Amino acid sequence: MLDYHLHLWPHGQRDTAPTLDQVAAYCERADAHGVTEIALTEHLFRFREADALLRGFWDDEPVAALRASMGRYWDEHAHAELDAYVECALAAKAAGLPVVLGLEVDYYRGRMEDVATLLAGYPFDVLLGSVHWIGTWRFDDLDDPASMEEWSVRSVDDAWSDYVTAVEELAASGTCDVLAHPDLIKVTGHRPVAPEECWDRLVEATVSSGMAAELSSAGWRKPAAEAYPAPGLLAKFVAGGVPLTTASDAHRLSDVADRSSDLAGLLDALGVETLRAFSDRAPRDVAIDKGVRLP
Ligand SMILES: [Zn+2]
Ligand SMILES: [Zn+2]
């Protein structure tokens, strides 16, 4: 198994310089849970380089509460040094740890060429593409009252369709390698009566872009109370031939490799025998080790 979605800092915690010891501890816990390779994928918006490039993308948001909320969120997060993060991951690789260097990249409408140009200057192995917000609405920020209030203003069908449109645009930009938490829009538990049309559009977006899709245990830790993607969507990804990664989306050591055995069970039930890994942005397939005994 892989854990191809890991953060070094919890939201709300000011960054500290990442250390080799921290990465080694992540690897040790991963190994104990049957995970043979991890990807460090900190949020792009945690770094000053993103601040310099993207600050103010929320300025034309017409809803004042959302505009102010995004400004505060950005100010809380954009403080780390991308060079220090990259150097730490490279040092871990050089020390022989089973780590690849990644980043979780949000969708910024009309700005993805600028983002790609920034990221091309670093030796990333894998880039995750994510949609955490629609325009500036952080639909998944359970701790933000202004964001959660929007769920009572918008229809669930519109929210889902707008989310999928953002994913389609992100995929078409060609910026990233893996679609992270593909149906994150369900995070609060709001689901359309018939999600199949949205699911089909998500599968088509990954197929046409060549992206892999992520199977993540993080949804089990949220009100959605199921993995991302939903079982029906996962089956469609597999039927569509979309390569898969597995992930915990941990923001702390105790969640690294969370429920990897449950993810393995979902894949086994669908006959999936390989996962997609990446080196230097190039894909490579790794066999799922059926021999490993998971706790
Ligand atoms: Zn995410
Ligand atoms: Zn994440």
Side-chain angles (χ1 to χ4, degrees):
M1 296 290 281
L2 306 172
D3 191 344
Y4 251 47
H5 189 151
L6 291 167
H7 299 274
L8 297 171
W9 307 300
H11 292 285
Q13 176 183 307
R14 284 298 172 98
D15 54 278
T16 52
T19 66
L20 198 54
D21 285 348
Q22 187 180 11
V23 180
Y26 273 37
C27 289
E28 188 176 342
R29 183 180 161 85
D31 181 65
H33 290 76
V35 169
T36 53
E37 181 178 318
I38 69 171
L40 299 180
T41 58
E42 196 45 79
H43 293 287
L44 172 59
F45 63 74
R46 307 266 345 200
F47 297 100
R48 290 180 190 168
E49 289 80 357
D51 187 43
L53 185 67
L54 297 162
R55 164 170 285 279
F57 77 89
W58 55 87
D59 283 347
D60 58 358
E61 165 61 53
V63 180
L66 294 181
R67 191 169 64 243
S69 173
M70 183 57 94
R72 283 194 304 273
Y73 187 79
W74 194 264
D75 285 341
E76 284 170 12
H77 283 85
H79 298 280
E81 296 285 352
L82 191 51
D83 282 348
Y85 167 76
V86 169
E87 283 168 16
C88 179
L90 295 181
K93 289 171 72 168
L97 294 173
V99 178
V100 298
L101 170 61
L103 202 68
E104 180 173 12
V105 182
D106 276 283
Y107 177 53
Y108 301 91
R109 181 169 283 150
R111 306 296 303 275
M112 296 311 286
E113 279 189 32
D114 294 338
V115 169
T117 300
L118 168 67
L119 300 184
Y122 296 88
F124 289 112
D125 292 304
V126 62
L127 297 175
L128 308 185
S130 297
V131 173
H132 295 110
W133 47 70
I134 295 168
T136 66
W137 174 36
R138 297 197 313 286
F139 60 83
D140 74 331
D141 191 346
L142 301 163
D143 298 325
D144 181 57
S147 298
M148 290 302 100
E149 172 66 18
E150 279 296 296
W151 276 108
S152 63
V153 174
R154 307 187 191 209
S155 81
V156 173
D157 284 348
D158 285 350
W160 274 60
S161 183
D162 291 347
Y163 168 83
V164 173
T165 298
V167 170
E168 288 169 338
E169 293 172 3
L170 170 64
S173 78
T175 313
C176 298
D177 308 304
V178 182
L179 176 59
H181 35 60
D183 56 352
L184 179 66
I185 189 67
K186 74 184 177 193
V187 59
T188 56
H190 292 93
R191 295 174 171 87
V193 175
E196 286 80 4
E197 184 187 341
C198 285
W199 289 352
D200 289 339
R201 288 172 58 194
L202 291 169
V203 174
E204 173 58 26
T206 53
V207 169
S208 60
S209 67
M211 292 174 87
E214 174 187 275
L215 172 59
S216 168
S217 62
W220 276 310
R221 305 194 300 271
K222 302 290 186 181
E226 67 178 13
Y228 307 112
L233 176 54
L234 179 62
K236 284 178 181 279
F237 278 129
V238 172
V242 176
L244 298 169
T245 67
T246 47
S248 69
D249 203 352
H251 285 67
R252 55 184 62 76
L253 176 62
S254 59
D255 285 332
V256 171
D258 183 41
R259 298 188 70 161
S260 58
S261 59
D262 292 324
L263 298 180
L266 293 174
L267 295 171
D268 193 45
L270 291 168
V272 177
E273 296 184 335
T274 60
L275 294 173
R276 173 76 28 113
F278 291 85
S279 296
D280 200 20
R281 307 282 316 276
R284 56 187 161 83
D285 286 336
V286 295
I288 297 174
D289 184 355
K290 298 283 172 62
V292 80
R293 189 166 298 280
L294 300 167

